[in-house]
Amino acid sequence: MSKSGTLDLASGLGGKIDKEEVKSAVDEYEKYHGYYGGKEEARKSNYTDMVNKYYDLATSFYEYGWGESFHFAHRWNGESLRESIKRHEHFLALQLGLKPGMKVLDVGCGIGGPLREIARFSSTSVTGLNNNEYQITRGKELNRLAGVSGTCDFVKADFMKMPFVDNTFDAVYAIEATCHAPDPVGCYKEIYRVLKPGQCFAVYEWCITDHYDPNNATHKRIKDEIELGNGLPDIRSTRQCLQAVKDAGFEVVWDKDLAEDSPLPWYLPLDPSRFSLSSFRLTSVGRMVTRTMVKALEYVGLAPQGSQRVSNFLEKAAEGLVEGGKKEIFTPMYFFLARKPE
Ligand SMILES: C[S@@+](CC[C@H](N)C(=O)[O-])C[C@H]1O[C@@H](n2cnc3c(N)ncnc32)[C@H](O)[C@@H]1O
């Protein structure tokens, strides 16, 4: 079971960062971003520090709001958010043709929600690769509680330099994670290297779409907000990602922005105009309650100094994501299936 109480949120805030250091970590994190005048080059050259600070600060909010899987989903009418998140994970397993006994890699696995679901759905063994120590600690505990420690494990490493020998895995997938890579070709090349020949890689990428205009100040502001609120060095276009996977050596089997035909928009859970009891914490009223609660917990010393600022930049992220989704300039589900040639 995911930690989902208010005090869990407060106690997990800051991850592995010393509680006294949370405020200065927030300062340093914010300075990386365009929204506060930071430069893309600094975010790329310091990506490990920037991304790890982000996940140390944000993970307990994610777990509190989303549960164990930290991603959006294609969603049908009548489907709950939770059902759609699982189906989005099953879709990857189906596309990869997972069969019992296969050895699978989850690149940028969070606290392992997708990994546990995919391993149980397909009877495979899944290794989660993640560079954030706090998330791995949480993931191991959740694997133990789910009873999947025998088939699922975690490796702490950078997906730009994976500690696996060539041709190790029968399948590789990444869910909303490789967007953190400072260079997509370098990251996809590592995936290519560790995948067995003839086998497949499937991904949901965060991308800007063809509707994005770099000369439009509103578009630029939305992109900056999404980068700030999500620990991203830069958001690449769908075309750049497609070219990058080809440059890494893959054959693309098919690709599609799944947001284009999602009957319910992926950003609906965060949309201020909508209310839901089942995912109340993600609604704008729910987020306001969380902000007020975090403020009170910080005031009485139960949450570290700087907690409210984390809550604020996550709020910016939510606003940017909803605006980016409504204007169709951004997608969190540009899907492609790619094969490593024999
Ligand atoms: C938005 S979360 C998605 C997590 C997971 N795929 C899910 O859907 O629940 C992105 C993940 O990528 C991981 N990540 C980011 N940069 C990484 C890197 N250089 N190496 C390994 N993992 C990384 C983060 O620590 C985080 O777990």
Side-chain angles (χ1 to χ4, degrees):
M1 272 291 289
S2 190
K3 280 192 178 188
S4 56
T6 310
L7 288 176
D8 295 321
L9 166 63
S11 66
L13 220 153
K16 295 279 177 189
I17 300 172
D18 200 80
K19 299 296 173 216
E20 279 69 50
E21 306 293 321
V22 167
K23 191 165 174 292
S24 58
V26 179
D27 282 336
E28 287 164 28
Y29 173 76
E30 286 179 344
K31 277 190 202 130
Y32 277 124
H33 286 278
Y35 196 82
Y36 290 99
K39 296 275 175 285
E40 184 182 322
E41 276 325 303
R43 291 197 292 283
K44 286 188 173 168
S45 52
N46 298 292
Y47 71 95
T48 304
D49 181 62
M50 191 267 290
V51 177
N52 265 331
K53 276 208 173 74
Y54 174 74
Y55 281 107
D56 275 330
L57 295 170
T59 297
S60 69
F61 281 95
Y62 272 51
E63 213 178 326
Y64 181 79
W66 288 95
E68 296 179 27
S69 291
F70 298 167
H71 61 81
F72 291 99
H74 176 278
R75 190 165 165 196
W76 291 95
N77 291 318
E79 205 174 28
S80 71
L81 176 63
R82 228 160 258 276
E83 285 166 347
S84 69
I85 284 177
K86 286 193 184 218
R87 189 178 49 74
H88 206 58
E89 293 164 0
H90 297 169
F91 180 80
L92 280 189
L94 193 69
Q95 291 301 317
L96 286 167
L98 298 187
K99 302 272 184 313
M102 277 186 166
K103 206 170 148 45
V104 183
L105 179 67
D106 179 331
V107 175
C109 65
I111 59 170
L115 164 166
R116 284 180 287 282
E117 185 60 31
I118 288 178
R120 288 183 294 217
F121 179 70
S122 59
S123 300
T124 50
S125 302
V126 189
T127 298
L129 181 78
N130 193 341
N131 216 12
N132 185 275
E133 204 180 320
Y134 174 68
Q135 291 194 337
I136 291 191
T137 309
R138 286 290 305 132
K140 283 186 175 160
E141 173 64 2
L142 293 168
N143 275 8
R144 191 185 61 75
L145 292 173
V148 298
S149 302
T151 49
C152 299
D153 61 356
F154 293 93
V155 171
K156 185 189 175 306
D158 184 352
F159 54 43
M160 304 301 291
K161 299 171 233 139
M162 299 189 195
F164 307 114
V165 295
D166 297 359
N167 311 329
T168 300
F169 295 97
D170 298 303
V172 181
Y173 67 87
I175 305 180
E176 302 185 15
T178 41
C179 48
H180 291 289
D183 155 35
V185 181
C187 179
Y188 296 156
K189 273 189 174 164
E190 272 298 86
I191 291 171
Y192 183 94
R193 185 182 66 72
V194 302
L195 185 62
K196 291 180 184 166
Q199 301 301 109
C200 286
F201 164 50
V203 67
Y204 293 126
E205 274 297 355
W206 278 34
C207 288
I208 48 173
T209 68
D210 288 349
H211 297 293
Y212 179 82
D213 173 3
N215 300 315
N216 179 317
T218 306
H219 289 190
K220 176 79 178 66
R221 190 232 337 127
I222 293 171
K223 181 171 177 280
D224 283 347
E225 281 178 358
I226 298 176
E227 286 167 0
L228 165 72
N230 295 281
L232 302 176
D234 180 31
I235 311 175
R236 267 103 35 184
S237 68
T238 51
R239 287 165 196 268
Q240 281 171 310
C241 287
L242 193 62
Q243 190 55 51
V245 76
K246 290 178 184 166
D247 291 348
F250 283 102
E251 290 165 356
V252 176
V253 180
W254 71 284
D255 71 292
K256 184 175 167 57
D257 176 6
L258 300 184
E260 281 172 2
D261 65 0
S262 180
L264 294 178
W266 57 267
Y267 53 81
L268 195 66
L270 300 174
D271 190 339
S273 62
R274 160 250 171 220
F275 183 80
S276 156
L277 270 182
S278 60
S279 48
F280 173 73
R281 287 172 180 179
L282 295 174
T283 61
S284 60
V285 184
R287 299 200 310 265
M288 192 187 71
V289 171
T290 306
R291 280 200 305 281
T292 311
M293 203 174 66
V294 168
K295 187 174 176 182
L297 289 170
E298 183 172 330
Y299 183 74
V300 298
L302 282 172
Q305 292 291 310
S307 301
Q308 273 187 82
R309 297 221 341 250
V310 180
S311 171
N312 291 345
F313 71 63
L314 291 175
E315 187 56 29
K316 274 269 158 283
E319 287 164 12
L321 287 165
V322 172
E323 250 191 296
K326 285 190 172 166
K327 292 190 184 302
E328 298 180 0
I329 58 172
F330 169 79
T331 175
M333 52 189 74
Y334 174 51
F335 169 84
F336 54 78
L337 179 68
R339 180 177 291 114
K340 176 172 175 175
E342 290 284 358

